[in-house]
Amino acid sequence: QVQLVESGGGLVQAGGSLRLSCAASGRTFRTYAMGWFRQAPGKEREFVATISWSGGSTYYADSVKGRFTISRDSAKNTVYLQMNSLKPEDTAVYYCAMRRAVAGGATPGEYDDWGQGTQVTVSS
């Protein structure tokens, strides 16, 4: 059993920054890829970013490329999402997820465990 707990969400003005954290406990963390997804009201859950088990490989959705950065600290069992130049369309509940594989994926079905989510609201 693994537990994922997100934090760091909140209300920010357009152009601002937030850093989300996802702390993992339970199952061995180092050998799993991690991802961030988001879901806005009335929309499907969409891929944001993923990072490999080693942290050496990352991949981003086109909509966030150049603005968001995913990273991980295996010693702390934590994955981060640094979000800069935020836009109102980034408003959503953000979820972290763990995939039992060395490489990440870009679809929700590829992930095995999910956090409860943290709300990010960007005002114009």
Side-chain angles (χ1 to χ4, degrees):
Q1 189 77 14
V2 63
Q3 294 80 41
L4 302 174
V5 179
E6 302 97 334
S7 62
L11 173 65
V12 64
Q13 289 189 329
S17 299
L18 283 174
R19 188 175 82 153
L20 305 183
S21 299
C22 173
S25 62
R27 192 183 298 274
T28 302
F29 177 73
R30 289 184 183 84
T31 56
Y32 293 88
M34 299 294 293
W36 285 96
F37 289 77
R38 65 187 183 187
Q39 189 166 18
K43 294 189 175 182
E44 298 281 319
R45 189 167 297 190
E46 67 172 359
F47 168 74
V48 175
T50 186
I51 188 166
S52 64
W53 75 276
S54 67
S57 179
T58 58
Y59 180 67
Y60 298 90
D62 288 342
S63 59
V64 307
K65 202 173 295 183
R67 300 188 297 123
F68 291 10
T69 302
I70 188 171
S71 62
R72 67 190 296 164
D73 184 338
S74 294
K76 296 183 178 181
N77 285 350
T78 300
V79 63
Y80 305 96
L81 185 68
Q82 177 67 44
M83 306 186 294
N84 299 329
S85 303
L86 283 161
K87 305 175 182 179
E89 51 263 44
D90 294 319
T91 295
V93 177
Y94 282 71
Y95 298 90
C96 74
M98 179 179 285
R99 186 186 190 204
R100 299 171 197 170
V102 296
T107 60
E110 294 178 274
Y111 289 79
D112 303 287
D113 301 282
W114 292 84
Q116 294 299 305
T118 185
Q119 177 70 48
V120 171
T121 303
V122 184
S123 63
S124 57

